[in-house]
Amino acid sequence: MAFLQDPTVIVEWLRQLFLGWGLSPSLASLLLYVLGALALATGPLLWVIFLIWFERKAVARIQDRLGPNRVGPYGLLQPFADVLKLLTKEDIIPAKADKFLYWLAPILSLAGVLLLWPAVPLGKGIGGNVNVAVLYLVAVGTLSTFAILLAGWSANNKYALLGAFRTVAQMISYEVPIVLALLVPVLLARSMNLQDIVAAQDVWFVVAAPLAALIFFVASIAEVGRTPFDLLEAESEIIAGFHIEYSGMKFAMFFAGEFLHAFTTGVLGAVLFFGGWRGPGAESYPILGLLYLWIKAFLLYFVIVWIRGTFPRIRIDHLLNFSWKFLTPLALVALMVTAVLDKMLAPLGAWPRALALLVANGVIWLATQRWLRGVEKRLQPPMVAQPGEYPVAHYTPPEPQAAEGD
Amino acid sequence: MVTTFVFVLTAAVMLVAALVAVLKNNLVHAAMGLVVTLFGTAVLFVLLEAYFLAVAQVVIYVGAIAILIVFSIMLTRRVGADWGQQTNATWPFALLVAGLLTVLLGLMVRGWAAVTAQPASQAVPADMTARLGAALVDPNGYVVPFEVASVLLLAALIGAVYVAWGGRKAEKDAQG
């Protein structure tokens, strides 16, 4: 059971196997890279099957429904039935659609999420060890924006295009607070490598930077396009937004991409702010680290589902104002305060430093609340409408039309 | 060997994508060609082990500039479906200038020793990004250009806000 302590023995064993088949060393390592990429892409996609069941069940329970309960125990096999249904659906391409881009968009959507995974450290010595990982996450995130933009445009449908416009406005706006919030763990760990960030979390960064964690979490939900920020596919306004014309497996790829993106957000939140794979025994048994990471990520994912089940959708101007006028300034202040304080307190140990930063974050939060109250007082609209101030809708029956003789 | 293969493949894809970007009538397709070309540049940076530059290339050019281009195309009235002629009467002169430039650049690069010389096979230091960051704010390094660039960006930002506000004021005036 040596692989429990050092998973790299599996790789070495496979390499020896390939060399034994008479392959050249460079070909063997190429084959190993391909295998690793396959495993990394397949694992999350299989996990999505469970996520779909979990999310449907959880949202159903929050809304006092039963959720899937027919196929298999507790409806666990429902996603398989769904996939079979989607596979057998007619694959429709609108007559005036841009065929190539119409095909490309769902693939890009899923690829944009899967490409986030190589940077994620899954355990001590397993998974991503990229030097510029944090920046890489930001770079790859733009792919999903592109996918949605292309899907909206290529389908040649005005609702789809409206969805795409909303997406770009939303995603570009929320990218700013996300990047600013991502800088805080980078500052605290003095590295952009996610492995180093995990290694630096003797005290979880959520203690030292709760505001950055909150901003990252909220803005990430907006990036994924989930309720309460699901304006890009608001059913009641623009029907389904960017994927209105998609059916069958192409639609399923958008769907799976969104679910996986939500879980990936949980994983990234766990890595950046909740210690990643760290936990008792994870140093000597990396597999245990993977389990800890999964549990933390799943808890964060559950909160996202919970938010989805409880919050109403917010309006587009509120959405943009919330990002530019609230999250971005708050993230800037948090970043500057963290940078100055962390440099000043560097000689102290991990715990005093984290607690001092926690106090600083608390002060920022109280100041923000005071400021918000002032704004609220200034903006307070009169509670009772003055007569004649607001137009009141009255129902006026249509003019009776003259009956046409035939 | 693998590196050479990847390089040749990337270069071929980049050339085709660049031609698409220039020659296609459909503006959205042209923009996609541009995106693929920019991605190819990032891949070339990776091959040169300049990971930070590769990622920065994607963040800035694909994430910001290309999305802005596509977005502005989509905001045009007929969503970029303008199938006009791409050239005007002066195209032979443009071809002449471009051809001359290509020849001159080719001659210049041929005479440059650094192109044919084998690169010194020293590994790229692991803390490249940290060195770059330190150099940008180092008084003996690039702190002045860095600060000048940030002032320029700030000026552009203020200008954009001013233009946006002016528009809103004009609208209010128009309403009475």
Side-chain angles (χ1 to χ4, degrees), chain A residues 98 131 135 142 146 149 153 165, chain B residues 28-29 35 55 63 70 74 79 126:
Chain A
D98 191 310
N131 208 354
L135 209 57
T142 61
F146 247 107
L149 203 56
W153 180 78
F165 286 163
Chain B
V28 177
H29 285 181
V35 169
V55 176
V70 174
M74 289 186 177
V79 196

Side-chain angles (χ1 to χ4, degrees), chain A residues 26 30 98 100-101 104 108 131-132 135-140 142-143 145-146 149-150 152-153 161 164-166 168-169 172 175 192, chain B residues 1-2 26 28-29 31-32 35 39 51-52 55-56 58-59 62-64 66-68 70-71 74-75 79-80 125-129:
Chain A
S26 68
L30 187 69
D98 191 310
F100 178 66
L101 295 181
L104 189 66
L108 268 186
N131 208 354
V132 286
L135 209 57
Y136 172 84
L137 297 179
V138 179
V140 169
T142 61
L143 263 187
T145 315
F146 247 107
L149 203 56
L150 288 183
W153 180 78
L161 196 60
F165 286 163
R166 286 181 170 196
V168 178
I172 289 180
E175 205 130 275
M192 281 204 283
Chain B
M1 187 208 66
V2 177
N26 188 327
V28 177
H29 285 181
M32 287 318 292
V35 169
F39 254 115
Y51 301 114
F52 177 77
V55 176
V58 175
V59 170
V62 179
I67 285 198
L68 201 65
V70 174
F71 196 47
M74 289 186 177
L75 281 178
V79 196
D127 60 341
M128 272 292 277
T129 318

Side-chain angles (χ1 to χ4, degrees), chain A residues 224-254:
Chain A
V224 181
R226 290 228 139 198
T227 322
F229 305 105
D230 62 340
L231 285 146
L232 38 151
E233 45 182 301
E235 290 90 345
S236 49
E237 297 162 22
I238 49 173
I239 315 185
F242 66 95
H243 60 58
I244 181 169
E245 295 284 3
Y246 282 89
S247 72
M249 269 329 266
K250 291 220 260 317
F251 166 73
M253 284 179 87
F254 279 119

Side-chain angles (χ1 to χ4, degrees), chain A residues 62-369:
Chain A
I62 289 169
Q63 297 170 344
D64 203 14
R65 294 184 284 118
L66 284 176
N69 61 355
R70 295 284 135 175
V71 193
Y74 303 102
L76 261 171
L77 297 178
Q78 182 67 39
F80 293 97
D82 286 347
V83 168
L84 278 181
K85 184 195 79 175
L86 286 166
L87 273 172
T88 52
K89 267 194 169 181
E90 186 188 352
D91 191 37
I92 302 167
I93 297 179
K96 293 226 172 149
D98 191 310
K99 299 237 166 34
F100 178 66
L101 295 181
Y102 187 80
W103 269 96
L104 189 66
I107 300 171
L108 268 186
S109 160
L110 199 55
V113 181
L114 282 177
L115 277 176
L116 291 172
W117 284 78
V120 176
L122 299 172
K124 186 181 161 64
I126 333 176
N129 195 5
V130 187
N131 208 354
V132 286
V134 172
L135 209 57
Y136 172 84
L137 297 179
V138 179
V140 169
T142 61
L143 263 187
S144 26
T145 315
F146 247 107
I148 291 172
L149 203 56
L150 288 183
W153 180 78
S154 66
N156 200 11
N157 177 311
K158 54 188 139 187
Y159 291 110
L161 196 60
L162 276 175
F165 286 163
R166 286 181 170 196
T167 308
V168 178
Q170 177 176 334
M171 290 199 166
I172 289 180
S173 306
Y174 278 85
E175 205 130 275
V176 179
I178 278 203
V179 172
L180 289 174
L182 277 176
L183 278 177
V184 173
V186 171
L187 263 179
L188 292 175
R190 312 265 197 283
S191 170
M192 281 204 283
N193 190 334
L194 286 178
Q195 279 284 15
D196 293 349
I197 288 180
V198 171
Q201 296 189 53
D202 290 327
V203 186
W204 289 359
F205 282 164
V206 71
V207 178
L211 278 181
L214 192 71
I215 292 166
F216 173 79
F217 193 65
V218 171
S220 288
I221 296 177
E223 277 283 290
V224 181
R226 290 228 139 198
T227 322
F229 305 105
D230 62 340
L231 285 146
L232 38 151
E233 45 182 301
E235 290 90 345
S236 49
E237 297 162 22
I238 49 173
I239 315 185
F242 66 95
H243 60 58
I244 181 169
E245 295 284 3
Y246 282 89
S247 72
M249 269 329 266
K250 291 220 260 317
F251 166 73
M253 284 179 87
F254 279 119
F255 196 65
E258 192 206 303
F259 274 72
L260 189 58
H261 202 166
F263 183 74
T264 312
T265 297
V267 172
L268 294 182
V271 166
L272 287 164
F273 294 103
F274 291 89
W277 47 261
R278 289 176 75 121
E283 293 275 343
S284 40
Y285 296 98
I287 302 287
L288 216 55
L290 187 61
L291 184 71
Y292 291 138
L293 177 66
W294 228 247
I295 293 171
K296 290 170 187 172
F298 199 80
L299 286 176
L300 284 176
Y301 173 71
F302 175 71
V303 176
I304 297 178
V305 174
W306 188 7
I307 290 172
R308 183 188 161 190
T310 38
F311 275 88
R313 184 181 306 133
I314 68 176
R315 225 169 62 192
I316 183 93
D317 55 332
H318 290 175
L319 177 96
L320 297 183
N321 281 349
F322 181 58
S323 170
W324 288 112
K325 297 186 180 170
F326 180 71
L327 284 184
T328 306
L330 187 63
L332 273 173
V333 171
L335 176 66
M336 285 193 274
V337 169
T338 310
V340 172
L341 263 186
D342 194 55
K343 194 75 185 168
M344 272 163 53
L345 301 174
L348 294 180
W351 267 107
R353 207 163 55 135
L355 289 179
L357 282 169
L358 180 66
V359 171
N361 270 284
V363 171
I364 297 174
W365 181 245
L366 286 179
T368 313
Q369 266 199 331

